[in-house]
Amino acid sequence: MNDSAQQIDDATGSAGASRHLDIIIDRPWRRVYEFASDPRNLPRWAAGLAGGEVQREVSQWSMNSPMGRVLISFVPENEYGVMDHTVTLPSGESVLNPLRVLELDDSRCEVVFTLRRGTMSEAEFAEDAEAVAEDLATLKEICEQG
């Protein structure tokens, strides 16, 4: 977040409804997109969804996670790098996770995850943001190794 946006948030006493987390990956966008948009790869880079085998269930995917059994639905494959996905938690609550891979040039891309605050407290929101940043760092490491 830039300084002016932070100042606005501080002036209103609100932390904002969402936060954009990003990372630069030194690989072509299409390569990163193909890896990250495959739900079977989620346990390798998304720690909050790690914990078990990913199984196909008609139009969505399921897996056992640290939170319990979750369902995941991705938007259809596309040429725009959009990997939005909905995670349905064991409680039945569904959370939309906007996720994009943006081409920077032929050999680099930026991955942007929009974390939505919802009903989280400030501390929970900060903790979740830290976890997403770690997941993006893991994605970068995996993609740049292979």
Side-chain angles (χ1 to χ4, degrees), residues 73-89:
S73 301
F74 274 85
V75 297
E77 183 178 338
N78 60 80
E79 293 296 316
Y80 307 106
V82 175
M83 298 185 299
D84 293 0
H85 56 284
T86 301
V87 177
T88 303
L89 304 172

Side-chain angles (χ1 to χ4, degrees), residues 28-128:
W29 82 269
R30 178 50 99 175
R31 196 161 158 195
V32 172
Y33 174 82
E34 288 172 357
F35 176 82
S37 67
D38 185 341
R40 295 168 294 195
N41 291 328
L42 283 170
R44 293 182 58 195
W45 67 273
L49 297 174
E53 182 180 330
V54 180
Q55 299 175 347
R56 181 80 172 152
E57 293 192 16
V58 188
S59 63
Q60 55 191 352
W61 299 82
S62 68
M63 69 175 61
N64 290 320
S65 77
M67 300 172 282
R69 185 171 178 273
V70 297
L71 299 173
I72 304 162
S73 301
F74 274 85
V75 297
E77 183 178 338
N78 60 80
E79 293 296 316
Y80 307 106
V82 175
M83 298 185 299
D84 293 0
H85 56 284
T86 301
V87 177
T88 303
L89 304 172
S91 67
E93 177 187 3
S94 291
V95 179
L96 174 63
N97 296 292
L99 181 60
R100 307 283 191 276
V101 179
L102 308 168
E103 181 178 22
L104 295 175
D105 57 39
D106 290 343
S107 64
R108 296 180 321 132
C109 65
E110 179 180 24
V111 177
V112 181
F113 184 99
T114 301
L115 179 63
R116 294 177 161 188
R117 183 172 182 163
T119 59
M120 286 186 267
S121 70
E122 184 65 35
E124 290 168 327
F125 192 49
E127 186 178 305
D128 214 13

